[in-house]
Amino acid sequence: MAEITLVTGSTLGSAEYVAEHLASLLDADGFTTQTLHGPELGKLNQSGYWLVVTSTHGAGDLPDNLQPLYDAIEATKPDLSGVQYGAIGIGSREYDIFCGAIDKLDTLLQSCGAQRLGELLKINILEHEIPEDPAEEWLLSWKNLLPSV
């Protein structure tokens, strides 16, 4: 089964909870996972499978713990053509820029050659008090895009 690196950015912990929940489900299905909360670029494999889960704060901004990774990727433009990833954003539709952080990351990763697998999931916390629920539902189809050997 594939090895998946879960990359999280969170201000209040919701993205971390979602990622940890998804990692436990993936582990139970035989995948190998590693969860990194706001990792440095040097700690990430620049190939393989990533699952990016981030909340948005302010006016579509990335969480403080994920901003350095974003800045490092933007500054160095590494070749990420070996990366395939899934993307989950958590935010509130009350704000003008709903899930702006995941939109920014999605655009940046693709500009460096990474390929998104499946649809980008945007979770509205006003509709889903427990964001793990829609993320779990999304994971059911996303994991089918991963190799099983």
Side-chain angles (χ1 to χ4, degrees):
M1 295 290 230
E3 180 176 323
I4 303 158
T5 301
L6 290 93
V7 177
T8 71
S10 190
T11 301
L12 300 175
S14 60
E16 291 177 10
Y17 299 140
V18 168
E20 289 166 0
H21 178 67
L22 297 180
S24 69
L25 295 172
L26 289 164
D27 289 339
D29 284 341
F31 294 95
T32 303
T33 63
Q34 176 184 26
T35 304
L36 302 173
H37 304 298
E40 296 174 18
L41 180 57
K43 300 218 186 242
L44 284 170
N45 287 332
Q46 294 188 10
S47 64
Y49 300 95
W50 296 1
L51 179 48
V52 182
V53 183
T54 186
S55 59
T56 297
H57 76 96
D61 298 323
L62 283 96
D64 290 343
N65 71 330
L66 200 56
Q67 188 67 52
L69 174 63
Y70 181 90
D71 293 343
I73 293 172
E74 188 174 50
T76 62
K77 296 286 190 204
D79 177 6
L80 298 179
S81 59
V83 172
Q84 293 181 303
Y85 69 96
I88 299 175
I90 302 169
S92 170
R93 283 236 185 251
E94 287 184 329
Y95 294 92
D96 292 338
I97 303 176
F98 174 61
C99 288
I102 199 64
D103 287 335
K104 289 177 184 177
L105 275 167
D106 186 46
T107 299
L108 180 63
L109 292 174
Q110 289 184 40
S111 76
C112 292
Q115 177 187 357
R116 180 167 28 95
L117 293 175
E119 296 296 317
L120 189 142
L121 174 64
K122 293 182 179 181
I123 300 170
N124 180 2
I125 59 167
L126 298 176
E127 293 177 14
H128 302 282
E129 189 175 314
I130 302 172
E132 290 89 336
D133 292 344
E136 183 175 333
E137 186 176 321
W138 174 89
L139 185 71
L140 292 173
S141 60
W142 185 78
K143 69 183 179 184
N144 291 328
L145 302 172
L146 300 169
S148 58
V149 288

mmCIF file of all heavy atoms in Angstrom, residues 42-79:
data_model
loop_
_atom_site.group_PDB
_atom_site.id
_atom_site.type_symbol
_atom_site.label_atom_id
_atom_site.label_comp_id
_atom_site.label_asym_id
_atom_site.label_seq_id
_atom_site.Cartn_x
_atom_site.Cartn_y
_atom_site.Cartn_z
ATOM 1 N N GLY A 42 12.275 20.855 4.032
ATOM 2 C CA GLY A 42 13.320 19.837 4.057
ATOM 3 C C GLY A 42 12.901 18.528 4.699
ATOM 4 O O GLY A 42 13.543 17.504 4.506
ATOM 5 N N LYS A 43 11.826 18.542 5.459
ATOM 6 C CA LYS A 43 11.351 17.323 6.122
ATOM 7 C C LYS A 43 10.333 16.550 5.289
ATOM 8 O O LYS A 43 9.891 15.485 5.680
ATOM 9 C CB LYS A 43 10.733 17.679 7.468
ATOM 10 C CG LYS A 43 11.717 18.356 8.403
ATOM 11 C CD LYS A 43 11.536 17.926 9.805
ATOM 12 C CE LYS A 43 12.451 18.748 10.676
ATOM 13 N NZ LYS A 43 13.416 18.042 11.380
ATOM 14 N N LEU A 44 9.970 17.105 4.139
ATOM 15 C CA LEU A 44 8.986 16.459 3.274
ATOM 16 C C LEU A 44 9.652 15.736 2.114
ATOM 17 O O LEU A 44 10.560 16.281 1.483
ATOM 18 C CB LEU A 44 8.033 17.508 2.690
ATOM 19 C CG LEU A 44 6.974 18.055 3.617
ATOM 20 C CD1 LEU A 44 6.280 19.253 2.982
ATOM 21 C CD2 LEU A 44 5.964 16.986 3.959
ATOM 22 N N ASN A 45 9.185 14.524 1.840
ATOM 23 C CA ASN A 45 9.629 13.840 0.628
ATOM 24 C C ASN A 45 9.089 14.622 -0.557
ATOM 25 O O ASN A 45 7.914 14.976 -0.579
ATOM 26 C CB ASN A 45 9.092 12.412 0.576
ATOM 27 C CG ASN A 45 9.782 11.505 1.556
ATOM 28 O OD1 ASN A 45 10.933 11.722 1.903
ATOM 29 N ND2 ASN A 45 9.078 10.493 2.015
ATOM 30 N N GLN A 46 9.929 14.882 -1.529
ATOM 31 C CA GLN A 46 9.481 15.631 -2.695
ATOM 32 C C GLN A 46 9.021 14.695 -3.799
ATOM 33 O O GLN A 46 9.088 15.010 -4.984
ATOM 34 C CB GLN A 46 10.557 16.619 -3.126
ATOM 35 C CG GLN A 46 10.741 17.671 -2.042
ATOM 36 C CD GLN A 46 11.653 18.801 -2.446
ATOM 37 O OE1 GLN A 46 12.039 18.953 -3.588
ATOM 38 N NE2 GLN A 46 11.989 19.620 -1.469
ATOM 39 N N SER A 47 8.535 13.540 -3.364
ATOM 40 C CA SER A 47 7.857 12.592 -4.238
ATOM 41 C C SER A 47 6.921 11.778 -3.354
ATOM 42 O O SER A 47 7.024 11.812 -2.137
ATOM 43 C CB SER A 47 8.870 11.684 -4.959
ATOM 44 O OG SER A 47 9.562 10.894 -4.013
ATOM 45 N N GLY A 48 6.005 11.080 -3.977
ATOM 46 C CA GLY A 48 5.072 10.268 -3.213
ATOM 47 C C GLY A 48 3.719 10.937 -3.061
ATOM 48 O O GLY A 48 3.321 11.775 -3.874
ATOM 49 N N TYR A 49 3.020 10.556 -1.989
ATOM 50 C CA TYR A 49 1.641 10.983 -1.784
ATOM 51 C C TYR A 49 1.525 11.866 -0.548
ATOM 52 O O TYR A 49 1.990 11.500 0.525
ATOM 53 C CB TYR A 49 0.726 9.756 -1.643
ATOM 54 C CG TYR A 49 0.781 8.895 -2.870
ATOM 55 C CD1 TYR A 49 1.644 7.807 -2.937
ATOM 56 C CD2 TYR A 49 0.006 9.199 -3.978
ATOM 57 C CE1 TYR A 49 1.721 7.034 -4.082
ATOM 58 C CE2 TYR A 49 0.077 8.434 -5.130
ATOM 59 C CZ TYR A 49 0.947 7.355 -5.173
ATOM 60 O OH TYR A 49 1.037 6.601 -6.309
ATOM 61 N N TRP A 50 0.917 13.013 -0.742
ATOM 62 C CA TRP A 50 0.642 13.939 0.357
ATOM 63 C C TRP A 50 -0.865 14.088 0.489
ATOM 64 O O TRP A 50 -1.595 14.049 -0.505
ATOM 65 C CB TRP A 50 1.212 15.324 0.091
ATOM 66 C CG TRP A 50 2.689 15.467 -0.009
ATOM 67 C CD1 TRP A 50 3.644 14.494 0.089
ATOM 68 C CD2 TRP A 50 3.406 16.683 -0.252
ATOM 69 N NE1 TRP A 50 4.898 15.026 -0.074
ATOM 70 C CE2 TRP A 50 4.781 16.377 -0.283
ATOM 71 C CE3 TRP A 50 3.018 18.007 -0.452
ATOM 72 C CZ2 TRP A 50 5.757 17.342 -0.501
ATOM 73 C CZ3 TRP A 50 3.983 18.962 -0.667
ATOM 74 C CH2 TRP A 50 5.348 18.632 -0.679
ATOM 75 N N LEU A 51 -1.300 14.323 1.696
ATOM 76 C CA LEU A 51 -2.676 14.731 1.960
ATOM 77 C C LEU A 51 -2.571 16.009 2.784
ATOM 78 O O LEU A 51 -2.111 15.979 3.923
ATOM 79 C CB LEU A 51 -3.443 13.644 2.707
ATOM 80 C CG LEU A 51 -4.900 13.939 3.065
ATOM 81 C CD1 LEU A 51 -5.688 14.480 1.874
ATOM 82 C CD2 LEU A 51 -5.565 12.701 3.626
ATOM 83 N N VAL A 52 -2.941 17.126 2.183
ATOM 84 C CA VAL A 52 -2.808 18.436 2.808
ATOM 85 C C VAL A 52 -4.155 18.822 3.413
ATOM 86 O O VAL A 52 -5.173 18.822 2.716
ATOM 87 C CB VAL A 52 -2.361 19.506 1.783
ATOM 88 C CG1 VAL A 52 -2.191 20.856 2.459
ATOM 89 C CG2 VAL A 52 -1.075 19.076 1.084
ATOM 90 N N VAL A 53 -4.133 19.142 4.712
ATOM 91 C CA VAL A 53 -5.342 19.544 5.423
ATOM 92 C C VAL A 53 -5.028 20.853 6.141
ATOM 93 O O VAL A 53 -4.131 20.898 6.984
ATOM 94 C CB VAL A 53 -5.775 18.482 6.462
ATOM 95 C CG1 VAL A 53 -7.075 18.906 7.140
ATOM 96 C CG2 VAL A 53 -5.913 17.103 5.831
ATOM 97 N N THR A 54 -5.753 21.910 5.786
ATOM 98 C CA THR A 54 -5.481 23.186 6.431
ATOM 99 C C THR A 54 -6.752 23.982 6.682
ATOM 100 O O THR A 54 -7.697 23.928 5.922
ATOM 101 C CB THR A 54 -4.491 24.041 5.609
ATOM 102 O OG1 THR A 54 -4.154 25.219 6.362
ATOM 103 C CG2 THR A 54 -5.045 24.442 4.267
ATOM 104 N N SER A 55 -6.711 24.704 7.778
ATOM 105 C CA SER A 55 -7.768 25.672 8.045
ATOM 106 C C SER A 55 -7.352 26.991 7.406
ATOM 107 O O SER A 55 -6.237 27.131 6.907
ATOM 108 C CB SER A 55 -7.966 25.837 9.557
ATOM 109 O OG SER A 55 -6.773 26.273 10.165
ATOM 110 N N THR A 56 -8.263 27.929 7.410
ATOM 111 C CA THR A 56 -8.003 29.278 6.894
ATOM 112 C C THR A 56 -8.301 30.248 8.024
ATOM 113 O O THR A 56 -9.238 30.042 8.787
ATOM 114 C CB THR A 56 -8.917 29.591 5.696
ATOM 115 O OG1 THR A 56 -8.607 28.686 4.641
ATOM 116 C CG2 THR A 56 -8.737 31.018 5.206
ATOM 117 N N HIS A 57 -7.491 31.281 8.142
ATOM 118 C CA HIS A 57 -7.835 32.307 9.122
ATOM 119 C C HIS A 57 -7.684 33.675 8.480
ATOM 120 O O HIS A 57 -7.098 33.805 7.407
ATOM 121 C CB HIS A 57 -6.991 32.171 10.412
ATOM 122 C CG HIS A 57 -5.592 32.656 10.294
ATOM 123 N ND1 HIS A 57 -5.223 33.914 10.688
ATOM 124 C CD2 HIS A 57 -4.464 32.068 9.839
ATOM 125 C CE1 HIS A 57 -3.922 34.074 10.474
ATOM 126 N NE2 HIS A 57 -3.446 32.973 9.964
ATOM 127 N N GLY A 58 -8.250 34.667 9.130
ATOM 128 C CA GLY A 58 -8.172 36.018 8.581
ATOM 129 C C GLY A 58 -8.837 36.101 7.221
ATOM 130 O O GLY A 58 -9.849 35.469 6.962
ATOM 131 N N ALA A 59 -8.248 36.868 6.348
ATOM 132 C CA ALA A 59 -8.795 37.090 5.005
ATOM 133 C C ALA A 59 -8.213 36.076 4.021
ATOM 134 O O ALA A 59 -7.508 36.418 3.078
ATOM 135 C CB ALA A 59 -8.499 38.508 4.550
ATOM 136 N N GLY A 60 -8.482 34.789 4.272
ATOM 137 C CA GLY A 60 -7.989 33.732 3.396
ATOM 138 C C GLY A 60 -6.546 33.358 3.641
ATOM 139 O O GLY A 60 -5.882 32.805 2.764
ATOM 140 N N ASP A 61 -6.046 33.644 4.845
ATOM 141 C CA ASP A 61 -4.636 33.424 5.157
ATOM 142 C C ASP A 61 -4.363 31.997 5.633
ATOM 143 O O ASP A 61 -5.230 31.326 6.191
ATOM 144 C CB ASP A 61 -4.189 34.407 6.246
ATOM 145 C CG ASP A 61 -4.316 35.850 5.797
ATOM 146 O OD1 ASP A 61 -4.056 36.133 4.619
ATOM 147 O OD2 ASP A 61 -4.691 36.686 6.639
ATOM 148 N N LEU A 62 -3.104 31.595 5.429
ATOM 149 C CA LEU A 62 -2.663 30.302 5.934
ATOM 150 C C LEU A 62 -2.429 30.410 7.436
ATOM 151 O O LEU A 62 -2.061 31.477 7.936
ATOM 152 C CB LEU A 62 -1.350 29.884 5.261
ATOM 153 C CG LEU A 62 -1.493 29.350 3.850
ATOM 154 C CD1 LEU A 62 -1.239 30.419 2.842
ATOM 155 C CD2 LEU A 62 -0.560 28.198 3.658
ATOM 156 N N PRO A 63 -2.591 29.298 8.155
ATOM 157 C CA PRO A 63 -2.255 29.295 9.573
ATOM 158 C C PRO A 63 -0.761 29.591 9.761
ATOM 159 O O PRO A 63 0.060 29.275 8.891
ATOM 160 C CB PRO A 63 -2.581 27.874 10.024
ATOM 161 C CG PRO A 63 -3.547 27.363 9.008
ATOM 162 C CD PRO A 63 -3.155 28.024 7.717
ATOM 163 N N ASP A 64 -0.419 30.178 10.901
ATOM 164 C CA ASP A 64 0.973 30.544 11.175
ATOM 165 C C ASP A 64 1.930 29.360 11.069
ATOM 166 O O ASP A 64 3.073 29.525 10.635
ATOM 167 C CB ASP A 64 1.101 31.172 12.566
ATOM 168 C CG ASP A 64 0.472 32.557 12.637
ATOM 169 O OD1 ASP A 64 0.233 33.171 11.571
ATOM 170 O OD2 ASP A 64 0.220 33.025 13.766
ATOM 171 N N ASN A 65 1.473 28.158 11.457
ATOM 172 C CA ASN A 65 2.392 27.020 11.423
ATOM 173 C C ASN A 65 2.618 26.463 10.018
ATOM 174 O O ASN A 65 3.528 25.671 9.807
ATOM 175 C CB ASN A 65 1.941 25.909 12.377
ATOM 176 C CG ASN A 65 0.707 25.172 11.914
ATOM 177 O OD1 ASN A 65 -0.159 25.720 11.233
ATOM 178 N ND2 ASN A 65 0.608 23.921 12.297
ATOM 179 N N LEU A 66 1.824 26.891 9.038
ATOM 180 C CA LEU A 66 1.999 26.408 7.669
ATOM 181 C C LEU A 66 2.592 27.472 6.752
ATOM 182 O O LEU A 66 3.117 27.152 5.686
ATOM 183 C CB LEU A 66 0.657 25.916 7.113
ATOM 184 C CG LEU A 66 0.698 24.978 5.925
ATOM 185 C CD1 LEU A 66 1.539 23.742 6.221
ATOM 186 C CD2 LEU A 66 -0.709 24.562 5.529
ATOM 187 N N GLN A 67 2.558 28.712 7.173
ATOM 188 C CA GLN A 67 3.074 29.810 6.353
ATOM 189 C C GLN A 67 4.554 29.634 5.991
ATOM 190 O O GLN A 67 4.929 29.867 4.833
ATOM 191 C CB GLN A 67 2.855 31.156 7.055
ATOM 192 C CG GLN A 67 3.184 32.358 6.176
ATOM 193 C CD GLN A 67 2.242 32.518 4.991
ATOM 194 O OE1 GLN A 67 1.032 32.523 5.164
ATOM 195 N NE2 GLN A 67 2.778 32.631 3.796
ATOM 196 N N PRO A 68 5.424 29.189 6.922
ATOM 197 C CA PRO A 68 6.837 28.999 6.534
ATOM 198 C C PRO A 68 7.024 27.970 5.412
ATOM 199 O O PRO A 68 7.877 28.152 4.542
ATOM 200 C CB PRO A 68 7.504 28.538 7.823
ATOM 201 C CG PRO A 68 6.643 29.104 8.909
ATOM 202 C CD PRO A 68 5.236 29.021 8.364
ATOM 203 N N LEU A 69 6.243 26.900 5.416
ATOM 204 C CA LEU A 69 6.331 25.907 4.339
ATOM 205 C C LEU A 69 5.908 26.533 3.022
ATOM 206 O O LEU A 69 6.593 26.369 2.003
ATOM 207 C CB LEU A 69 5.466 24.681 4.646
ATOM 208 C CG LEU A 69 5.378 23.643 3.527
ATOM 209 C CD1 LEU A 69 6.753 23.034 3.240
ATOM 210 C CD2 LEU A 69 4.357 22.565 3.879
ATOM 211 N N TYR A 70 4.807 27.238 3.037
ATOM 212 C CA TYR A 70 4.329 27.919 1.830
ATOM 213 C C TYR A 70 5.403 28.872 1.304
ATOM 214 O O TYR A 70 5.717 28.867 0.112
ATOM 215 C CB TYR A 70 3.036 28.680 2.144
ATOM 216 C CG TYR A 70 2.460 29.387 0.947
ATOM 217 C CD1 TYR A 70 1.550 28.756 0.113
ATOM 218 C CD2 TYR A 70 2.843 30.693 0.632
ATOM 219 C CE1 TYR A 70 1.017 29.398 -0.993
ATOM 220 C CE2 TYR A 70 2.311 31.347 -0.472
ATOM 221 C CZ TYR A 70 1.413 30.702 -1.281
ATOM 222 O OH TYR A 70 0.895 31.338 -2.380
ATOM 223 N N ASP A 71 5.974 29.674 2.203
ATOM 224 C CA ASP A 71 7.004 30.642 1.807
ATOM 225 C C ASP A 71 8.225 29.951 1.215
ATOM 226 O O ASP A 71 8.796 30.419 0.223
ATOM 227 C CB ASP A 71 7.419 31.511 3.000
ATOM 228 C CG ASP A 71 6.305 32.437 3.474
ATOM 229 O OD1 ASP A 71 5.331 32.664 2.719
ATOM 230 O OD2 ASP A 71 6.415 32.923 4.625
ATOM 231 N N ALA A 72 8.625 28.825 1.820
ATOM 232 C CA ALA A 72 9.795 28.092 1.320
ATOM 233 C C ALA A 72 9.537 27.523 -0.069
ATOM 234 O O ALA A 72 10.406 27.583 -0.947
ATOM 235 C CB ALA A 72 10.175 26.973 2.294
ATOM 236 N N ILE A 73 8.353 26.980 -0.292
ATOM 237 C CA ILE A 73 8.023 26.439 -1.617
ATOM 238 C C ILE A 73 7.961 27.570 -2.634
ATOM 239 O O ILE A 73 8.494 27.455 -3.741
ATOM 240 C CB ILE A 73 6.695 25.650 -1.582
ATOM 241 C CG1 ILE A 73 6.852 24.389 -0.732
ATOM 242 C CG2 ILE A 73 6.240 25.296 -2.997
ATOM 243 C CD1 ILE A 73 5.553 23.636 -0.477
ATOM 244 N N GLU A 74 7.343 28.677 -2.253
ATOM 245 C CA GLU A 74 7.219 29.811 -3.167
ATOM 246 C C GLU A 74 8.594 30.395 -3.519
ATOM 247 O O GLU A 74 8.842 30.748 -4.668
ATOM 248 C CB GLU A 74 6.331 30.883 -2.536
ATOM 249 C CG GLU A 74 5.979 32.005 -3.485
ATOM 250 C CD GLU A 74 4.986 32.959 -2.860
ATOM 251 O OE1 GLU A 74 5.208 33.417 -1.727
ATOM 252 O OE2 GLU A 74 3.979 33.246 -3.527
ATOM 253 N N ALA A 75 9.497 30.445 -2.553
ATOM 254 C CA ALA A 75 10.818 31.032 -2.773
ATOM 255 C C ALA A 75 11.733 30.126 -3.603
ATOM 256 O O ALA A 75 12.490 30.610 -4.442
ATOM 257 C CB ALA A 75 11.483 31.353 -1.437
ATOM 258 N N THR A 76 11.665 28.813 -3.356
ATOM 259 C CA THR A 76 12.613 27.900 -4.014
ATOM 260 C C THR A 76 12.042 27.200 -5.236
ATOM 261 O O THR A 76 12.802 26.651 -6.023
ATOM 262 C CB THR A 76 13.112 26.830 -3.014
ATOM 263 O OG1 THR A 76 11.997 26.043 -2.567
ATOM 264 C CG2 THR A 76 13.805 27.478 -1.820
ATOM 265 N N LYS A 77 10.727 27.176 -5.356
ATOM 266 C CA LYS A 77 10.061 26.502 -6.486
ATOM 267 C C LYS A 77 10.668 25.113 -6.744
ATOM 268 O O LYS A 77 11.167 24.819 -7.832
ATOM 269 C CB LYS A 77 10.146 27.337 -7.767
ATOM 270 C CG LYS A 77 9.422 28.654 -7.687
ATOM 271 C CD LYS A 77 7.937 28.462 -7.747
ATOM 272 C CE LYS A 77 7.261 29.812 -7.911
ATOM 273 N NZ LYS A 77 5.916 29.816 -7.444
ATOM 274 N N PRO A 78 10.626 24.217 -5.735
ATOM 275 C CA PRO A 78 11.203 22.881 -5.935
ATOM 276 C C PRO A 78 10.413 22.100 -6.980
ATOM 277 O O PRO A 78 9.232 22.386 -7.228
ATOM 278 C CB PRO A 78 11.064 22.241 -4.554
ATOM 279 C CG PRO A 78 9.876 22.921 -3.956
ATOM 280 C CD PRO A 78 9.941 24.338 -4.452
ATOM 281 N N ASP A 79 11.071 21.121 -7.578
ATOM 282 C CA ASP A 79 10.399 20.245 -8.524
ATOM 283 C C ASP A 79 9.559 19.250 -7.725
ATOM 284 O O ASP A 79 10.101 18.358 -7.077
ATOM 285 C CB ASP A 79 11.425 19.510 -9.381
ATOM 286 C CG ASP A 79 10.783 18.521 -10.353
ATOM 287 O OD1 ASP A 79 9.530 18.479 -10.451
ATOM 288 O OD2 ASP A 79 11.544 17.778 -11.001
#
